[in-house]
């Protein structure tokens, strides 16, 4: 389980993180700095759940996320999923002097109720008011948003927060978002519940990330995605889906489009093919 010692980067780690996202150390932990860091993070790292899909070891702590996503240097590019993306971002913000709370959220709680709580980690940053700094959905926000009901538009995509029963707030992704919503409560942090949900997502056969390969990345003018054997491209014109033709194209996409350096892309593609074949036969 993540402890307090894991939730902030050391000075050397912070320098390496800032170099990885191409940002200088901000003079003041203010809203302008938060916005710049948020955009740099989501455009520098790829959202990917390859480790869960392949059954490779995966640790939810920010320190492990740093080692995977930054520690390998520019010759070894990896991303992460919500626990890693938001965990690393929150740890960097803490090291920069921001007031950060790791929030225990639930993707699709609207469908699954409180069983979903803990399956998502998001980040609250307290400035003039609480802000939702959400870099852990691969096709969602480019900038933080106020943690209160309302609608915001970023790069032509509409996002919203609504009030729900029991003090919950619901973040609504844009119309074409892969994850339609998640619920959270301001100030609500439950590391044990997050850890339990993380274990479920990487070990239980019913986990959507074990039975599906999901990769997403914000790219200039578009958001790219891979969902099993399908490449999904979101632009201002809408969504275009293309069938990935085989292992060679898949390997090229990982490197050129998603900027990932993963071991044995052929093995990943073989598992994608097997998974889809089994699904069609069921």
């Amino acid at each position: 389980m993540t402890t307090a010692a894991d939730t902030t980067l050391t000075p050397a780690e912070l320098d390496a993180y800032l170099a990885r996202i191409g940002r200088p150390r901000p003079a003041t932990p203010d809203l302008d700095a938060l916005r710049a860091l948020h955009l740099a993070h989501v455009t520098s790292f790829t959202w990917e759940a390859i480790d869960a899909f392949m059954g490779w070891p995966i640790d939810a702590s920010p320190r492990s996320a740093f080692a995977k996503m930054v520690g390998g240097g520019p010759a070894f590019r990896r991303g992460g999923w919500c626990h890693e993306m938001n965990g690393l971002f929150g740890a960097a913000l803490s090291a920069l002097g921001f007031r950060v709370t790791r929030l225990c959220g639930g993707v699709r709680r609207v469908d699954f109720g409180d069983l979903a709580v803990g399956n998502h980690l998001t980040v609250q940053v307290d400035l003039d008011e609480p802000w939702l700094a959400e870099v852990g959905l691969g096709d969602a926000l480019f900038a933080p948003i106020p943690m209160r009901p309302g609608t915001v538009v970023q790069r032509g995509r509409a996002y919203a927060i609504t009030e729900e029963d029991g003090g919950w707030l619901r973040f609504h992704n844009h119309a074409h978002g892969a994850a339609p919503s998640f619920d959270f409560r301001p100030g609500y942090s439950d590391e044990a519940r997050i850890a339990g949900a993380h274990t479920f997502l990487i070990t239980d056969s019913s986990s959507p990330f074990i039975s599906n390969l999901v990769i997403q990345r914000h790219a200039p003018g578009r958001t790219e995605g891979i969902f099993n054997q399908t490449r999904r491209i979101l632009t201002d014109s809408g969504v275009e889906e293309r069938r990935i033709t085989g292992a060679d194209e898949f390997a090229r996409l990982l490197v050129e489009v998603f900027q990932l350096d993963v071991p044995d892309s052929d093995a990943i593609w073989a598992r994608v093919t097997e998974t889809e074949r089994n699904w069609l036969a069921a």
Side-chain angles (χ1 to χ4, degrees):
M1 185 173 69
T2 297
T3 64
D6 291 319
T7 58
T8 188
L9 299 184
T10 68
E13 289 171 340
L14 178 61
D15 288 342
Y17 169 83
L18 291 172
R20 176 66 175 81
I21 66 171
R23 293 296 308 174
R25 184 185 293 259
T28 306
D30 57 19
L31 183 56
D32 287 342
L34 178 61
R35 286 172 169 154
L37 292 162
H38 194 291
L39 179 61
H41 187 106
V42 299
T43 54
S44 296
F45 293 109
T46 296
W47 192 103
E48 47 114 333
I50 294 174
D51 292 346
F53 180 70
M54 294 300 293
W56 295 341
I58 179 173
D59 187 325
S61 72
R63 184 131 290 115
S64 293
F66 171 85
K68 172 185 173 184
M69 297 168 62
V70 180
F76 185 72
R77 299 170 299 175
R78 287 297 303 272
W81 61 353
C82 72
H83 301 84
E84 297 168 302
M85 291 281 271
N86 278 327
L88 176 59
F89 189 53
L93 294 178
S94 292
L96 287 167
F98 288 93
R99 293 168 53 205
V100 173
T101 304
R102 290 163 48 93
L103 298 183
C104 179
V107 171
R108 297 185 64 185
R109 180 174 172 269
V110 63
D111 300 311
F112 302 117
D114 286 346
L115 288 175
V117 176
N119 71 11
H120 186 64
L121 168 71
T122 192
V123 175
Q124 174 178 333
V125 180
D126 288 305
L127 294 167
D128 55 322
E129 61 178 316
W131 288 78
L132 182 67
E134 171 54 58
V135 300
L137 294 183
D139 60 359
L141 294 172
F142 296 92
I145 60 175
M147 196 176 287
R148 49 181 161 81
T151 299
V152 297
V153 177
Q154 296 180 359
R155 303 194 178 190
R157 303 176 192 179
Y159 308 89
I161 291 178
T162 58
E163 289 183 321
E164 306 300 325
D165 292 341
W168 290 93
L169 296 176
R170 179 165 297 152
F171 171 80
H172 299 264
N173 204 354
H174 60 85
H176 299 293
S181 70
F182 68 82
D183 290 11
F184 63 97
R185 287 195 306 229
Y188 172 52
S189 181
D190 188 333
E191 294 293 347
R193 194 157 191 172
I194 292 170
H198 184 268
T199 298
F200 169 84
L201 290 172
I202 63 175
T203 59
D204 195 280
S205 59
S206 66
S207 166
F209 300 110
I210 291 177
S211 55
N212 297 280
L213 177 66
V214 185
I215 305 172
Q216 297 174 296
R217 183 178 180 86
H218 287 307
R222 67 195 192 281
T223 299
E224 292 269 2
I226 289 178
F227 298 87
N228 296 324
Q229 293 185 327
T230 300
R231 178 183 179 186
R232 187 174 186 262
I233 306 170
L234 172 63
T235 66
D236 291 344
S237 301
V239 177
E240 178 186 358
E241 294 189 346
R242 306 174 186 172
R243 191 78 166 174
I244 300 171
T245 58
D248 289 345
E249 182 187 3
F250 178 70
R252 180 185 63 79
L253 289 172
L254 289 182
V255 173
E256 296 179 5
V257 174
F258 293 93
Q259 300 185 24
L260 293 174
D261 302 303
V262 296
D264 202 351
S265 65
D266 285 348
I268 302 171
W269 181 252
R271 174 154 165 70
V272 169
T273 302
E274 177 188 14
T275 298
E276 191 144 320
R277 183 170 58 244
N278 291 343
W279 179 81
L280 290 172

